[in-house]
Amino acid sequence: MAASAVVLWSTLSFSLFLWFSAATAEENTTSYSLSTAVYGDQNVTYNGTDSSTQPAEFESTTPTAAPSSSSTERPVQPTLSADPLPVSGQLPTPATSVDRLCPCDAHRDVCDINCCCDRACREEVALFTGCSLHSVSGNKQLCSRDVASYSLGITIDGYSELQSSVQKETNYDVFCIQSQSGADGFSHPSPALPTDSNFDSLFKQFTSFIFGSEESSGQVLSAELQGGSGYQYGDVMMTAGGRGHRGMFFLPAPGVTAYCMDTSAAAFLKDQSSQCSRHMVLEQDCSTLPALSMDTYTNIQLFAGKENDAAVVPVEVTSVILQSVDGTQTELQISDGEHLSPVLLNPTLCANVVLKVVYVMKYNPAGEIVKVMVSLVLGFVREAVLILDQEFQITFVQDGEEVAVHYSGNPGYVVGLPLVSGTRTADGITRSIDPRDTLSLLHTAGDQDCLQGLHKRSPVLFSVDSVSGCKLRLEDAANCSLVFQALLDVLRGPNYPQYVASFGNSPLEYPLDWVPIKNNSNPGEAQSCIIPLSLHLEIEWTKYGSLVNPQAQIVSVKEVIQTNVTSLDQLSGGSNTVSITSSVAFIPVSAAALPGYRAMPTIDAKLPFDFFFPFV
C-alpha cells in the first residue's frame, strides 16, 4: 500500500499535483500522455495514453518469437476520446500502449538493423550487435508511467536474443501530473472563430467592457437592485439624472487605442488611474466639447446605494488648480456653484481646459457612498489642431477609517524618512495621522510668491540637508506687522509642531522622549520695516546603542530666524523682490565610538588571620 499526500492545482485542462509519495515498483495504476524513446543519449517524445494495467514480468524471447506486424509510418499522435471523464477520474481507453511504440522502425515490413522493438525482426535479431533504442517510456511529467526496456542477451550458441520488459516507474518530483482530463491537457483550447451566426454573442462577450451605448446607460437589472442596499465590490455606480433617469458613472479611459473612451464605467471599490488622449480642433471644440469643461465632471449626482429610493450624493469640488502655459500651478478660490468654462482667448489659445480629474469617494461598511469629492487641474491649450492628454483618477476611502501611523525607524531614525513631530498637551504628545502634517519646508518652485498662490511643502527628511525659498514683492510689504507674521507662517507651515521625537518610534505617552523645538531669533537693528529673511533648522543627532548596530537619536532641534538689518529697498538692490529662504541642516554630535574590552579578572580574597594556625 502506497502512502501519499496530495495537493491539487487545477489548470485549464489538466490537474497538477504536488505529490509526495512512498510507493513500490509493483504499483499497478499509471497514466501517461507522452512516450519517450531513448537513442543512447537522445530522447524522442510521442503522445499516448495508458489505462490501469498490471506490469508485465521480465521475460526472455528468442528471435523466432517476434511478431510479424510492423508499420511503414512513424508513430503518429493518437487522439483521446472527447467524452467527459467519469467521476472516478480514470483516463479514457488508451489508444496505444508503450510496448507498441517503436521510434526506430523506419521501414515497413523490413527489419531495421539493431532496432530491438521492430516487430518485423525475427531471425535477424540473432545477428544484432546492440539495441539502438534501449527504452520507451511514458511522459516524464506524469507521476507514474510505463517504461518498455529492450536489451540483448547471448545464447549458448553465441547468438543474440531479445530481452524486453514493461515496468512502471514513479516520478518523485513535487511537480508532476497525476491525471489528464482530456486530449487538450497540454494546450489551450482553440478560440471560437467569428461567424455570421455567433458574431453578435461574441461581440457582447468580449467588447462590452470597451464599447457602450446610450441605451445601456439607462438599463439596470432588477436582480442587481434587489441584491442589497449598498454597492458590492465591482458594481457599477449609478447616477441620478433628470426625471428619475438612472445612468452609470463613467470615468474616461483609453480603449483599444490611446484615445479616450467616455463610456468606460467605474467600478465600486476599484481604484483606477488612466491617461488618454483626444484629437481636437481648437476653434471648434474649445467651448463645445463636453470633455473639456469642468461641468461634465462636477455636475454629477450619485445614488448612495443600489435601491430605487437610495439617497442622492452630489459631487463636491474641493480644489481647482490653474496650470499656466509654462507649467506653473496656482490654486483658485472658487465659491460654491461657480464653474469655469473653457474660453477661446484667441484662435491659438484656449483657457480653462480640464487636464486632470481626481475623485475621492467615501463609503460606509454597508457599501453606501457617503461623500464624493473631486479635484481638478485646469490649463491652457495652444495650437490649431492638436492632441490633448488628460488624466483621470478615482480612489475609495472608508468613512471613519483610521489611517495607520508609520514609524520613521525602529527605534532609531532611518535616513530619508520624515521626522516625527507633535504638539504638547495636558495628556501628553499628540500627532496628526496625516504623514504630510509634520515638520516641513517650502517646496521650491519657479517664481514662487511668498504671500500669494499655492505653497507646496516637503517634509523634513532625516539626515537630508535642504534649502528652499520664495520671493517677496516689496509692494506687498507695506504693512510690516502683518507681513512679518504672514511670512513666518509661510516659512513654518500650517500646524507648526512644538516637539520632535528623539527616536523614530517614540511613544506618545512618554513626553520625555520628545525634544522641544527651541527658538533662537536674531533680530536686526531697529528699522522701519522688519521681516524674517530666513528660517533655519539646526538638528543635532547622535548615534545611540551598541557599536555593532548604533541607532540614530535626535538630541536637539533649534530654530534660527534671521531678520533684515537694513531697509528693504537697500536689501533688494534696486529690484522689486526680496528672496526669503528656509533651510535645514543635520549636525552629528556623537563622539567617536571606541571598542572597549573587559579587564582581566583578579583575585581579591582575604583569608582569616588564623588560617595557618598552628603552623604560623
Side-chain angles (χ1 to χ4, degrees), residues 2 19 23-30 53 55 143-144 168-170 178:
W19 188 27
T24 62
E26 288 77 22
E27 185 181 3
N28 61 358
T29 301
T30 185
T53 58
C143 298
S144 179
K168 200 172 295 295
E169 289 187 359
T170 302
Q178 174 66 16

Side-chain angles (χ1 to χ4, degrees), residues 415-450:
V415 177
L417 293 183
L419 299 187
V420 181
S421 58
T423 304
R424 182 71 177 269
T425 61
D427 299 330
I429 303 295
T430 60
R431 58 170 296 194
S432 174
I433 61 176
D434 188 353
R436 297 171 298 181
D437 191 7
T438 183
L439 193 65
S440 61
L441 293 176
L442 280 173
H443 186 78
T444 302
D447 298 332
Q448 182 172 245
D449 196 306
C450 293

